[in-house]
Amino acid sequence: MQLGIVIIIQRFHVKTPSKLTREPEEQCVTLGEPLKVKKDDQLLSDNDRVRIQEFDDFIVVTIPDTEREDVAPSLPPTGPLEISNVSKDRATLSWKPPKDDGGSKVTGYVVERRDTSKGADAWIPVTQACKETTFTVPSLLDGHEYDFRVMAINENGTSEPLRSTAPTTAKLPFKPPGAPGQRDMTGMTNNTVTLNWEKPTSDGGGPITGYWIEKREGNTDKWIPVNMSPCQSTHFTVPSLVEDHIYEFRVTAENEAGKGAPSDATTPTKVKDPNASTPPEFLKKLKDAEGIEGKTITLECEVIGTPKPDVEWFFKGTKEVSQGAKYTITNDGDKCLSIIKNATSDDVDKYSIKALIKVVQECVVVMLMFDITPPKYQDVLNYDKGESIVIKIFYIGSPLVNVTLSKDGNDLTKDKNVSIDVSNRAITLTNRNADKNTSGRQPEPATLKHGNIYDYYDTVEEIGR
């Protein structure tokens, strides 16, 4: 035999017996005036539910069978409803307890809000279990207007609401800060720059919560954020830059109201390690110089480099020029001078200057030439028969000239007694075993790429002397 289970459900209610937790206070009325009994400002009359019996100095109100609506709730909370600490997403409400709790202790408060743009009945409960007489309403929308109301709760029900007197706008009570002040760069490496700046003259009314740094590479319009979180100080080292690239930087301050206007951009700056070596570079190179014999000639150039280059002067490529009676060597900043005193034909040649930084060097070569006036053979030169005639002719020119000697239209270089020696400063004519046929006017053209230069020398030989 199989047994079964039977379940029976019966509902029942437990009611709290009625009781008076507070006796009504004594009331005074004018003689002859009827006594009135009110509930919730409504006049009570004798009926089947409420019996009112009047005696000489008191009345008796009898409610044979009480119901929930016979119990009075608390009065509303005591105003005004104060609103403080308003921000863009919250506001704090404060009030005082009800003056009359309706005979039952207030157990809490209901707080509601209404977005004024949603309509007159768009009340939304924020909390139904507030135990204090203050509450911060969260989750407001920035820039929206709100009304608020608070109701007291006891075991008899919910009181009438205490409402705010005017709409409140959810926003911060201050503005974003102004632009940061003077900026400068106090440190640089081959891939970083350290920025410094001054605080804004105006914080907008709220404390500054940090700074944002941006960079912009040369020839672009795009600003790129540098820091991923707000910088708390007024200096910041920008990392991950590319050496020899040009950058600008700017800074923006921020408070709880948001970011302010950015600062002016810094001067475009090339990122380079100031302590790194750079090869020498001649800003002003040596130039070919001309001078007058016996006078002073100055050779000048300008050279830069990091660290400051050591400079050496050379004559004829290998002979080093040093300070002394003949030369004055000076260095004034980037300017380098070599002063040749009492110049002679022996000083005519190539001069060079070398700038050295460790193993790096740069060299400049220059040709120095003089306008040295050759001796003028105004008078007739006399030689003995068989004596060699030697005439030295100084000239200016580089490279070496091509020389042709002729007499009476005939090329004398083919004469076995005639030789011509061309150096870098002079032409030397030698005529050996001279006789009377050597006498005459001898033109000697010196041919350069820029044209012909002619000078004439008279040679005379007298037989018997």
mmCIF file of all heavy atoms in Angstrom, residues 354-396:
data_model
loop_
_atom_site.group_PDB
_atom_site.id
_atom_site.type_symbol
_atom_site.label_atom_id
_atom_site.label_comp_id
_atom_site.label_asym_id
_atom_site.label_seq_id
_atom_site.Cartn_x
_atom_site.Cartn_y
_atom_site.Cartn_z
ATOM 1 N N LYS A 354 93.440 73.993 -39.598
ATOM 2 C CA LYS A 354 92.837 72.735 -39.188
ATOM 3 C C LYS A 354 92.099 72.957 -37.883
ATOM 4 O O LYS A 354 92.658 73.515 -36.934
ATOM 5 C CB LYS A 354 93.927 71.693 -38.999
ATOM 6 C CG LYS A 354 93.757 70.448 -39.819
ATOM 7 C CD LYS A 354 94.910 69.506 -39.588
ATOM 8 C CE LYS A 354 95.467 69.030 -40.930
ATOM 9 N NZ LYS A 354 96.502 67.998 -40.762
ATOM 10 N N ALA A 355 90.837 72.498 -37.800
ATOM 11 C CA ALA A 355 90.058 72.529 -36.561
ATOM 12 C C ALA A 355 89.850 71.092 -36.112
ATOM 13 O O ALA A 355 89.346 70.265 -36.871
ATOM 14 C CB ALA A 355 88.720 73.230 -36.776
ATOM 15 N N LEU A 356 90.259 70.790 -34.870
ATOM 16 C CA LEU A 356 90.221 69.408 -34.389
ATOM 17 C C LEU A 356 89.391 69.290 -33.131
ATOM 18 O O LEU A 356 89.480 70.131 -32.232
ATOM 19 C CB LEU A 356 91.640 68.897 -34.104
ATOM 20 C CG LEU A 356 92.648 68.956 -35.253
ATOM 21 C CD1 LEU A 356 93.479 70.210 -35.138
ATOM 22 C CD2 LEU A 356 93.532 67.728 -35.208
ATOM 23 N N ILE A 357 88.538 68.238 -33.071
ATOM 24 C CA ILE A 357 87.818 67.833 -31.856
ATOM 25 C C ILE A 357 88.041 66.337 -31.706
ATOM 26 O O ILE A 357 87.476 65.535 -32.452
ATOM 27 C CB ILE A 357 86.318 68.139 -31.940
ATOM 28 C CG1 ILE A 357 86.076 69.636 -32.063
ATOM 29 C CG2 ILE A 357 85.602 67.597 -30.712
ATOM 30 C CD1 ILE A 357 84.629 69.997 -32.242
ATOM 31 N N LYS A 358 88.897 65.969 -30.771
ATOM 32 C CA LYS A 358 89.270 64.570 -30.581
ATOM 33 C C LYS A 358 89.757 64.015 -31.915
ATOM 34 O O LYS A 358 90.780 64.440 -32.414
ATOM 35 C CB LYS A 358 88.105 63.762 -30.003
ATOM 36 C CG LYS A 358 87.721 64.203 -28.607
ATOM 37 C CD LYS A 358 86.593 63.363 -28.055
ATOM 38 C CE LYS A 358 86.225 63.822 -26.638
ATOM 39 N NZ LYS A 358 85.100 63.051 -26.077
ATOM 40 N N VAL A 359 89.011 63.071 -32.490
ATOM 41 C CA VAL A 359 89.473 62.480 -33.741
ATOM 42 C C VAL A 359 88.802 63.105 -34.957
ATOM 43 O O VAL A 359 88.994 62.658 -36.075
ATOM 44 C CB VAL A 359 89.208 60.960 -33.728
ATOM 45 C CG1 VAL A 359 90.000 60.300 -32.638
ATOM 46 C CG2 VAL A 359 87.718 60.663 -33.563
ATOM 47 N N VAL A 360 87.995 64.149 -34.746
ATOM 48 C CA VAL A 360 87.283 64.787 -35.840
ATOM 49 C C VAL A 360 88.008 66.065 -36.203
ATOM 50 O O VAL A 360 88.386 66.838 -35.330
ATOM 51 C CB VAL A 360 85.831 65.105 -35.448
ATOM 52 C CG1 VAL A 360 85.093 65.704 -36.632
ATOM 53 C CG2 VAL A 360 85.141 63.829 -34.974
ATOM 54 N N GLN A 361 88.229 66.291 -37.487
ATOM 55 C CA GLN A 361 88.910 67.511 -37.877
ATOM 56 C C GLN A 361 88.355 68.022 -39.190
ATOM 57 O O GLN A 361 87.754 67.294 -39.966
ATOM 58 C CB GLN A 361 90.416 67.290 -37.984
ATOM 59 C CG GLN A 361 90.831 66.359 -39.119
ATOM 60 C CD GLN A 361 92.331 66.211 -39.195
ATOM 61 O OE1 GLN A 361 93.005 66.262 -38.179
ATOM 62 N NE2 GLN A 361 92.854 66.047 -40.383
ATOM 63 N N GLU A 362 88.576 69.304 -39.418
ATOM 64 C CA GLU A 362 88.147 69.952 -40.644
ATOM 65 C C GLU A 362 89.290 70.853 -41.082
ATOM 66 O O GLU A 362 89.968 71.465 -40.254
ATOM 67 C CB GLU A 362 86.877 70.769 -40.413
ATOM 68 C CG GLU A 362 86.281 71.383 -41.669
ATOM 69 C CD GLU A 362 85.616 70.346 -42.556
ATOM 70 O OE1 GLU A 362 85.325 69.240 -42.068
ATOM 71 O OE2 GLU A 362 85.411 70.649 -43.736
ATOM 72 N N CYS A 363 89.520 70.935 -42.378
ATOM 73 C CA CYS A 363 90.672 71.680 -42.873
ATOM 74 C C CYS A 363 90.234 72.577 -44.017
ATOM 75 O O CYS A 363 89.408 72.191 -44.851
ATOM 76 C CB CYS A 363 91.771 70.724 -43.333
ATOM 77 S SG CYS A 363 93.257 71.551 -43.926
ATOM 78 N N VAL A 364 90.801 73.796 -44.062
ATOM 79 C CA VAL A 364 90.546 74.742 -45.143
ATOM 80 C C VAL A 364 91.888 75.208 -45.673
ATOM 81 O O VAL A 364 92.790 75.537 -44.893
ATOM 82 C CB VAL A 364 89.715 75.947 -44.665
ATOM 83 C CG1 VAL A 364 89.607 76.966 -45.774
ATOM 84 C CG2 VAL A 364 88.330 75.493 -44.243
ATOM 85 N N VAL A 365 92.043 75.227 -46.989
ATOM 86 C CA VAL A 365 93.295 75.633 -47.629
ATOM 87 C C VAL A 365 93.046 76.904 -48.424
ATOM 88 O O VAL A 365 91.998 77.063 -49.056
ATOM 89 C CB VAL A 365 93.823 74.516 -48.562
ATOM 90 C CG1 VAL A 365 95.122 74.947 -49.226
ATOM 91 C CG2 VAL A 365 94.024 73.234 -47.779
ATOM 92 N N VAL A 366 94.024 77.796 -48.408
ATOM 93 C CA VAL A 366 93.899 79.051 -49.126
ATOM 94 C C VAL A 366 95.241 79.383 -49.767
ATOM 95 O O VAL A 366 96.304 79.003 -49.259
ATOM 96 C CB VAL A 366 93.465 80.191 -48.163
ATOM 97 C CG1 VAL A 366 94.544 80.496 -47.146
ATOM 98 C CG2 VAL A 366 93.100 81.456 -48.940
ATOM 99 N N MET A 367 95.245 80.089 -50.904
ATOM 100 C CA MET A 367 96.475 80.534 -51.549
ATOM 101 C C MET A 367 96.698 81.994 -51.201
ATOM 102 O O MET A 367 95.797 82.823 -51.337
ATOM 103 C CB MET A 367 96.368 80.374 -53.075
ATOM 104 C CG MET A 367 97.507 81.011 -53.840
ATOM 105 S SD MET A 367 99.110 80.282 -53.441
ATOM 106 C CE MET A 367 99.017 78.787 -54.401
ATOM 107 N N LEU A 368 97.872 82.279 -50.697
ATOM 108 C CA LEU A 368 98.260 83.654 -50.381
ATOM 109 C C LEU A 368 99.185 84.151 -51.472
ATOM 110 O O LEU A 368 100.189 83.509 -51.801
ATOM 111 C CB LEU A 368 98.976 83.710 -49.023
ATOM 112 C CG LEU A 368 99.498 85.089 -48.617
ATOM 113 C CD1 LEU A 368 98.341 86.060 -48.453
ATOM 114 C CD2 LEU A 368 100.307 85.003 -47.327
ATOM 115 N N MET A 369 98.884 85.308 -52.071
ATOM 116 C CA MET A 369 99.687 85.885 -53.145
ATOM 117 C C MET A 369 99.959 87.343 -52.826
ATOM 118 O O MET A 369 99.153 88.016 -52.192
ATOM 119 C CB MET A 369 98.948 85.766 -54.485
ATOM 120 C CG MET A 369 98.674 84.323 -54.909
ATOM 121 S SD MET A 369 97.614 84.196 -56.326
ATOM 122 C CE MET A 369 96.053 84.710 -55.618
ATOM 123 N N PHE A 370 101.110 87.820 -53.273
ATOM 124 C CA PHE A 370 101.500 89.199 -53.030
ATOM 125 C C PHE A 370 101.599 89.960 -54.345
ATOM 126 O O PHE A 370 102.034 89.409 -55.357
ATOM 127 C CB PHE A 370 102.863 89.277 -52.328
ATOM 128 C CG PHE A 370 102.855 88.687 -50.952
ATOM 129 C CD1 PHE A 370 103.642 87.596 -50.649
ATOM 130 C CD2 PHE A 370 102.060 89.223 -49.967
ATOM 131 C CE1 PHE A 370 103.642 87.050 -49.389
ATOM 132 C CE2 PHE A 370 102.053 88.688 -48.710
ATOM 133 C CZ PHE A 370 102.846 87.607 -48.418
ATOM 134 N N ASP A 371 101.251 91.212 -54.304
ATOM 135 C CA ASP A 371 101.499 92.106 -55.422
ATOM 136 C C ASP A 371 102.864 92.742 -55.172
ATOM 137 O O ASP A 371 102.983 93.882 -54.718
ATOM 138 C CB ASP A 371 100.399 93.168 -55.494
ATOM 139 C CG ASP A 371 100.599 94.078 -56.700
ATOM 140 O OD1 ASP A 371 101.446 93.736 -57.539
ATOM 141 O OD2 ASP A 371 99.925 95.125 -56.759
ATOM 142 N N ILE A 372 103.910 91.929 -55.393
ATOM 143 C CA ILE A 372 105.271 92.395 -55.134
ATOM 144 C C ILE A 372 105.796 93.007 -56.422
ATOM 145 O O ILE A 372 105.945 92.322 -57.441
ATOM 146 C CB ILE A 372 106.177 91.243 -54.688
ATOM 147 C CG1 ILE A 372 105.577 90.606 -53.433
ATOM 148 C CG2 ILE A 372 107.595 91.709 -54.442
ATOM 149 C CD1 ILE A 372 106.331 89.399 -52.961
ATOM 150 N N THR A 373 106.032 94.275 -56.421
ATOM 151 C CA THR A 373 106.445 94.999 -57.621
ATOM 152 C C THR A 373 107.825 94.528 -58.086
ATOM 153 O O THR A 373 108.796 94.601 -57.313
ATOM 154 C CB THR A 373 106.485 96.510 -57.351
ATOM 155 O OG1 THR A 373 105.211 96.897 -56.867
ATOM 156 C CG2 THR A 373 106.807 97.278 -58.606
ATOM 157 N N PRO A 374 107.943 93.992 -59.287
ATOM 158 C CA PRO A 374 109.249 93.529 -59.766
ATOM 159 C C PRO A 374 110.167 94.717 -60.022
ATOM 160 O O PRO A 374 109.709 95.835 -60.237
ATOM 161 C CB PRO A 374 108.908 92.781 -61.054
ATOM 162 C CG PRO A 374 107.653 93.413 -61.531
ATOM 163 C CD PRO A 374 106.897 93.817 -60.322
ATOM 164 N N PRO A 375 111.467 94.469 -59.953
ATOM 165 C CA PRO A 375 112.392 95.576 -60.241
ATOM 166 C C PRO A 375 112.219 96.052 -61.676
ATOM 167 O O PRO A 375 112.057 95.246 -62.591
ATOM 168 C CB PRO A 375 113.763 94.958 -60.001
ATOM 169 C CG PRO A 375 113.558 93.490 -60.156
ATOM 170 C CD PRO A 375 112.174 93.212 -59.688
ATOM 171 N N LYS A 376 112.215 97.335 -61.866
ATOM 172 C CA LYS A 376 112.044 97.921 -63.188
ATOM 173 C C LYS A 376 113.435 98.156 -63.809
ATOM 174 O O LYS A 376 114.263 98.883 -63.244
ATOM 175 C CB LYS A 376 111.272 99.249 -63.108
ATOM 176 C CG LYS A 376 109.861 99.093 -62.593
ATOM 177 C CD LYS A 376 109.019 98.253 -63.530
ATOM 178 C CE LYS A 376 107.589 98.168 -63.055
ATOM 179 N NZ LYS A 376 106.756 97.357 -63.934
ATOM 180 N N TYR A 377 113.644 97.486 -64.889
ATOM 181 C CA TYR A 377 114.936 97.642 -65.574
ATOM 182 C C TYR A 377 114.834 98.843 -66.513
ATOM 183 O O TYR A 377 114.638 98.714 -67.711
ATOM 184 C CB TYR A 377 115.285 96.365 -66.337
ATOM 185 C CG TYR A 377 115.391 95.161 -65.448
ATOM 186 C CD1 TYR A 377 114.345 94.258 -65.331
ATOM 187 C CD2 TYR A 377 116.561 94.951 -64.712
ATOM 188 C CE1 TYR A 377 114.456 93.162 -64.502
ATOM 189 C CE2 TYR A 377 116.681 93.843 -63.876
ATOM 190 C CZ TYR A 377 115.625 92.952 -63.774
ATOM 191 O OH TYR A 377 115.736 91.872 -62.961
ATOM 192 N N GLN A 378 114.888 100.016 -65.925
ATOM 193 C CA GLN A 378 114.741 101.241 -66.703
ATOM 194 C C GLN A 378 116.036 101.550 -67.492
ATOM 195 O O GLN A 378 115.980 102.091 -68.585
ATOM 196 C CB GLN A 378 114.380 102.397 -65.772
ATOM 197 C CG GLN A 378 113.118 102.166 -64.974
ATOM 198 C CD GLN A 378 111.882 102.117 -65.860
ATOM 199 O OE1 GLN A 378 111.903 102.610 -66.996
ATOM 200 N NE2 GLN A 378 110.814 101.511 -65.352
ATOM 201 N N ASP A 379 117.157 101.229 -66.874
ATOM 202 C CA ASP A 379 118.432 101.517 -67.533
ATOM 203 C C ASP A 379 118.918 100.286 -68.306
ATOM 204 O O ASP A 379 118.473 99.164 -68.076
ATOM 205 C CB ASP A 379 119.495 101.908 -66.489
ATOM 206 C CG ASP A 379 119.077 103.175 -65.730
ATOM 207 O OD1 ASP A 379 118.415 104.025 -66.346
ATOM 208 O OD2 ASP A 379 119.386 103.256 -64.515
ATOM 209 N N VAL A 380 119.863 100.564 -69.195
ATOM 210 C CA VAL A 380 120.461 99.482 -69.976
ATOM 211 C C VAL A 380 121.346 98.643 -69.073
ATOM 212 O O VAL A 380 122.101 99.155 -68.240
ATOM 213 C CB VAL A 380 121.292 100.046 -71.140
ATOM 214 C CG1 VAL A 380 122.002 98.925 -71.904
ATOM 215 C CG2 VAL A 380 120.397 100.825 -72.101
ATOM 216 N N LEU A 381 121.218 97.312 -69.171
ATOM 217 C CA LEU A 381 122.040 96.400 -68.407
ATOM 218 C C LEU A 381 123.279 96.039 -69.239
ATOM 219 O O LEU A 381 123.154 95.644 -70.405
ATOM 220 C CB LEU A 381 121.263 95.134 -68.055
ATOM 221 C CG LEU A 381 119.986 95.345 -67.218
ATOM 222 C CD1 LEU A 381 119.304 93.996 -67.029
ATOM 223 C CD2 LEU A 381 120.350 95.959 -65.895
ATOM 224 N N ASN A 382 124.415 96.137 -68.653
ATOM 225 C CA ASN A 382 125.679 95.870 -69.351
ATOM 226 C C ASN A 382 126.298 94.583 -68.832
ATOM 227 O O ASN A 382 126.365 94.356 -67.621
ATOM 228 C CB ASN A 382 126.663 97.028 -69.143
ATOM 229 C CG ASN A 382 126.134 98.323 -69.762
ATOM 230 O OD1 ASN A 382 125.618 98.320 -70.871
ATOM 231 N ND2 ASN A 382 126.273 99.427 -69.025
ATOM 232 N N TYR A 383 126.716 93.714 -69.747
ATOM 233 C CA TYR A 383 127.343 92.461 -69.397
ATOM 234 C C TYR A 383 128.617 92.276 -70.247
ATOM 235 O O TYR A 383 128.709 92.784 -71.373
ATOM 236 C CB TYR A 383 126.407 91.273 -69.660
ATOM 237 C CG TYR A 383 125.176 91.256 -68.781
ATOM 238 C CD1 TYR A 383 124.036 91.931 -69.167
ATOM 239 C CD2 TYR A 383 125.193 90.563 -67.588
ATOM 240 C CE1 TYR A 383 122.906 91.914 -68.359
ATOM 241 C CE2 TYR A 383 124.083 90.540 -66.772
ATOM 242 C CZ TYR A 383 122.921 91.230 -67.157
ATOM 243 O OH TYR A 383 121.827 91.223 -66.349
ATOM 244 N N ASP A 384 129.576 91.554 -69.740
ATOM 245 C CA ASP A 384 130.769 91.215 -70.501
ATOM 246 C C ASP A 384 130.477 90.055 -71.420
ATOM 247 O O ASP A 384 129.569 89.242 -71.185
ATOM 248 C CB ASP A 384 131.924 90.842 -69.559
ATOM 249 C CG ASP A 384 132.429 92.047 -68.783
ATOM 250 O OD1 ASP A 384 132.286 93.166 -69.295
ATOM 251 O OD2 ASP A 384 132.911 91.841 -67.634
ATOM 252 N N LYS A 385 131.276 90.001 -72.474
ATOM 253 C CA LYS A 385 131.122 88.911 -73.429
ATOM 254 C C LYS A 385 131.366 87.590 -72.725
ATOM 255 O O LYS A 385 132.297 87.449 -71.944
ATOM 256 C CB LYS A 385 132.103 89.093 -74.575
ATOM 257 C CG LYS A 385 131.980 87.999 -75.641
ATOM 258 C CD LYS A 385 132.971 88.237 -76.761
ATOM 259 C CE LYS A 385 132.868 87.125 -77.807
ATOM 260 N NZ LYS A 385 133.829 87.312 -78.929
ATOM 261 N N GLY A 386 130.515 86.640 -72.965
ATOM 262 C CA GLY A 386 130.627 85.313 -72.360
ATOM 263 C C GLY A 386 129.990 85.194 -70.982
ATOM 264 O O GLY A 386 129.868 84.099 -70.447
ATOM 265 N N GLU A 387 129.597 86.339 -70.451
ATOM 266 C CA GLU A 387 128.956 86.306 -69.112
ATOM 267 C C GLU A 387 127.493 85.894 -69.261
ATOM 268 O O GLU A 387 126.828 86.250 -70.235
ATOM 269 C CB GLU A 387 129.077 87.676 -68.459
ATOM 270 C CG GLU A 387 128.468 87.730 -67.074
ATOM 271 C CD GLU A 387 128.572 89.140 -66.483
ATOM 272 O OE1 GLU A 387 129.113 90.039 -67.149
ATOM 273 O OE2 GLU A 387 128.060 89.324 -65.346
ATOM 274 N N SER A 388 127.027 85.122 -68.307
ATOM 275 C CA SER A 388 125.612 84.708 -68.321
ATOM 276 C C SER A 388 124.717 85.854 -67.865
ATOM 277 O O SER A 388 125.020 86.548 -66.883
ATOM 278 C CB SER A 388 125.390 83.487 -67.424
ATOM 279 O OG SER A 388 126.073 82.373 -67.931
ATOM 280 N N ILE A 389 123.637 86.043 -68.599
ATOM 281 C CA ILE A 389 122.658 87.071 -68.235
ATOM 282 C C ILE A 389 121.525 86.379 -67.448
ATOM 283 O O ILE A 389 120.888 85.456 -67.965
ATOM 284 C CB ILE A 389 122.088 87.757 -69.479
ATOM 285 C CG1 ILE A 389 123.220 88.412 -70.282
ATOM 286 C CG2 ILE A 389 121.017 88.759 -69.091
ATOM 287 C CD1 ILE A 389 122.767 88.937 -71.619
ATOM 288 N N VAL A 390 121.302 86.825 -66.192
ATOM 289 C CA VAL A 390 120.247 86.225 -65.344
ATOM 290 C C VAL A 390 119.260 87.320 -64.956
ATOM 291 O O VAL A 390 119.660 88.328 -64.346
ATOM 292 C CB VAL A 390 120.833 85.570 -64.088
ATOM 293 C CG1 VAL A 390 119.698 84.987 -63.250
ATOM 294 C CG2 VAL A 390 121.825 84.478 -64.466
ATOM 295 N N ILE A 391 118.024 87.155 -65.350
ATOM 296 C CA ILE A 391 116.973 88.126 -65.017
ATOM 297 C C ILE A 391 115.856 87.367 -64.282
ATOM 298 O O ILE A 391 115.325 86.374 -64.797
ATOM 299 C CB ILE A 391 116.405 88.806 -66.273
ATOM 300 C CG1 ILE A 391 117.522 89.547 -67.009
ATOM 301 C CG2 ILE A 391 115.260 89.743 -65.898
ATOM 302 C CD1 ILE A 391 117.074 90.160 -68.318
ATOM 303 N N LYS A 392 115.518 87.853 -63.077
ATOM 304 C CA LYS A 392 114.456 87.225 -62.281
ATOM 305 C C LYS A 392 113.220 88.120 -62.313
ATOM 306 O O LYS A 392 113.284 89.302 -61.966
ATOM 307 C CB LYS A 392 114.903 87.008 -60.833
ATOM 308 C CG LYS A 392 113.981 86.113 -60.048
ATOM 309 C CD LYS A 392 114.600 85.770 -58.690
ATOM 310 C CE LYS A 392 113.744 84.762 -57.941
ATOM 311 N NZ LYS A 392 114.334 84.364 -56.638
ATOM 312 N N ILE A 393 112.082 87.547 -62.711
ATOM 313 C CA ILE A 393 110.831 88.299 -62.860
ATOM 314 C C ILE A 393 109.798 87.711 -61.887
ATOM 315 O O ILE A 393 109.466 86.530 -61.986
ATOM 316 C CB ILE A 393 110.304 88.200 -64.307
ATOM 317 C CG1 ILE A 393 111.393 88.649 -65.297
ATOM 318 C CG2 ILE A 393 109.030 89.021 -64.467
ATOM 319 C CD1 ILE A 393 111.061 88.314 -66.728
ATOM 320 N N PHE A 394 109.369 88.541 -60.957
ATOM 321 C CA PHE A 394 108.324 88.090 -60.019
ATOM 322 C C PHE A 394 106.951 88.212 -60.666
ATOM 323 O O PHE A 394 106.710 89.095 -61.499
ATOM 324 C CB PHE A 394 108.375 88.925 -58.734
ATOM 325 C CG PHE A 394 109.641 88.730 -57.948
ATOM 326 C CD1 PHE A 394 110.666 89.683 -58.015
ATOM 327 C CD2 PHE A 394 109.806 87.622 -57.145
ATOM 328 C CE1 PHE A 394 111.830 89.489 -57.297
ATOM 329 C CE2 PHE A 394 110.972 87.437 -56.433
ATOM 330 C CZ PHE A 394 111.990 88.374 -56.498
ATOM 331 N N TYR A 395 106.046 87.344 -60.268
ATOM 332 C CA TYR A 395 104.707 87.381 -60.849
ATOM 333 C C TYR A 395 103.684 86.904 -59.808
ATOM 334 O O TYR A 395 104.028 86.344 -58.767
ATOM 335 C CB TYR A 395 104.634 86.493 -62.087
ATOM 336 C CG TYR A 395 104.587 85.016 -61.789
ATOM 337 C CD1 TYR A 395 103.360 84.348 -61.711
ATOM 338 C CD2 TYR A 395 105.759 84.303 -61.591
ATOM 339 C CE1 TYR A 395 103.317 82.996 -61.424
ATOM 340 C CE2 TYR A 395 105.717 82.956 -61.316
ATOM 341 C CZ TYR A 395 104.498 82.290 -61.229
ATOM 342 O OH TYR A 395 104.460 80.965 -60.957
ATOM 343 N N ILE A 396 102.405 87.132 -60.130
ATOM 344 C CA ILE A 396 101.288 86.640 -59.321
ATOM 345 C C ILE A 396 100.474 85.705 -60.186
ATOM 346 O O ILE A 396 100.073 86.068 -61.286
ATOM 347 C CB ILE A 396 100.393 87.791 -58.832
ATOM 348 C CG1 ILE A 396 101.184 88.757 -57.956
ATOM 349 C CG2 ILE A 396 99.174 87.268 -58.065
ATOM 350 C CD1 ILE A 396 100.421 89.995 -57.598
#
